[in-house]
Amino acid sequence: MCGIIGIVGNSSVVDRLVDGLRRMEYRGYDSAGICTINDGKLIRRRAEGKLKNLVEELANNPAPGEIGIAHTRWATHGAPTTSNAHPHATDHVALVHNGIIENYKDLRAELRDKGRTLESDTDSEVVAHLVSIEVENGACPENAVAQVLPRLRGAFALAIVFRSHPDKIIGARRGSPLVVGYGSGEMYLGSDALALAPLTQKITYLEEGDWVVVERGGVIIHDESGNVVEREIQTSGASAAAVEKGNYRHFMQKEIFEQPTVVAQTLSSYLRQADNSVALPQFDFDISSVRRVTIVACGTSYYAGMVAKYWFEQFARVPVDIDVASEFRYREPVLEEGGLALFISQSGETADTLAALRHCKENGQTIGAVVNVPTSSMAREADLLLPTHAGPEIGVASTKAFTCQLAVLAALAAHMAVKKGLMSREEEQRVVAHLLEAPACLNKALDHDDDIASMAHLIAPARDVLYLGRGPDFPLALEGALKLKEISYIHAEGYASGEMKHGPIALIDDAVPVIVLAPSGPLFEKSISNMEEVRARGGQVVLISDAKGLAEAGEGCIATIEMPEVHPLIAPLVYAIPVQLLAYHVACVKGTDVDQPRNLAKSVTVE
Ligand code: F6R
């Protein structure tokens, strides 16, 4: 996913554009670029790599002007070089694009046949040329864009400036988010409200297919058919401070430490503390009639779904199918009329998950969305919106969104069980009481930050690391491995503890640390037997358990991490903390870029 911003201003825009890019750098950081209009000229500056390289470029070659667009890129088509960096431009227009133009090959061929020279390997540049051709043939900017948009297939958010019209930016949205911001005598466009947070809180979320003419005094919004439409102006809750690290070294670290607060915040909108009951939003949907739940998500959100499968099946006795979104539609899933399909996503914009959501909608499923961005596409297309209240998550590696997803999913599973008559009032009170203990237990888990930091050097030199867990802690093993891979670049695998002996145990030697997640409880003995199988083969074990578990099985491990003793229901939330902290501290020892790991972007809006 890329980030785009545009300002039709009444003073110099360059610094504000760069600040907007800084707030969106988590969306992609392969290259960055800017284009202003000054003295009837398009002034374009671009740089490969992180935003700081563009800032250096601008220090040497300033970009004056009171109107401009800017872009931070996560490369899809074309290597992350300067020539592939946005904005793409002709003599007449410049544009920035987030998304993928699927028919770009045909359009490139057509442009080449017309004798146009394309400078980049991107799919985006074709749009600049198509709009430019219309302008060169005498079309006004509005007509030029209206002619070209129907020719584009795929997903896009676009912002386009026109050399001869230094008073307007045209934006368009199909499949990728775009918001309009209202200033005083100025107007803005951005990929999200966070990018515009220091500029304005007054925003409009464009609808699918909308395109918009942005001028200093206001905007004209057109729908996909070209009709002028009104869209609501909302007050955004995005605060500029949410995109600051405060006293923390990294966003990821800040977000790990925010978990007790944001999980409590999330739980408070799903549970009633006064009488320990589940209190979900009122839905116009009979949840007791659900006979099958389909869960679809990607990455960390998928692992939250895996944990939830245990809860739905255990509490509500309802079968759960779970898929990674990129596979879901292609296996031609059997979806019975009237099923509940749940989509879990921090961003609410992940293209694979969104496509799966639409597929389920077309196939008669009721759509539930557990999302952290309440204005996202998934939130808007869902029948049942179940927001997490994690606040903006900027670190590319997801942390607090995960534990908040777990909080919502546990409450939903209990709610379904209550509605189905499968959970008595006393059981409901017990479950709610355990969930309400989670924030305090997360705090206790965070108290072990220093211990984890001091053992990170044991893991940092490893080439491979294994994570083991059983039951609902198995997805935590997968999550631990994902966190380590993505931010420390160490190869890691998560396995169900009992599955080790069926093959992966062949990997064990004294160079492969094995992280065992084993809270004391019903599965403890079996987990420890599996751990012993590893140790018997020279495996170097790090045991994560509570005091009781460590007393029983901690001897002989290369390190142990103590967690508070918790009810098994909340163990997946609490054990998320040590796996996140371990990955974080190992990455710090290795000196990798924790918040912006290589090759990644915060949310992936391409399939
Ligand atoms: C891992 C991570 C990714 C995301 C995945 C889904 O730390 O962040 O695996 O979980 O890309 O993103 P969302 O939740 O936005 O749909």
Side-chain angles (χ1 to χ4, degrees), residues 296 298 325-326 329-330 349-357 604 606-607:
V296 186
C298 300
S326 54
R329 282 174 303 152
Y330 306 104
E349 299 293 349
T350 301
D352 290 317
T353 312
L354 190 56
L357 181 154
V604 185
V606 293
E607 279 187 54

Side-chain angles (χ1 to χ4, degrees), residues 13 42 46 52 99 114 131 167 232 520 582:
V13 291
L42 291 172
R46 300 178 294 167
K52 63 178 176 32
K114 286 190 171 142
V131 174
D167 53 352
E232 191 192 345
S520 62
L582 186 59

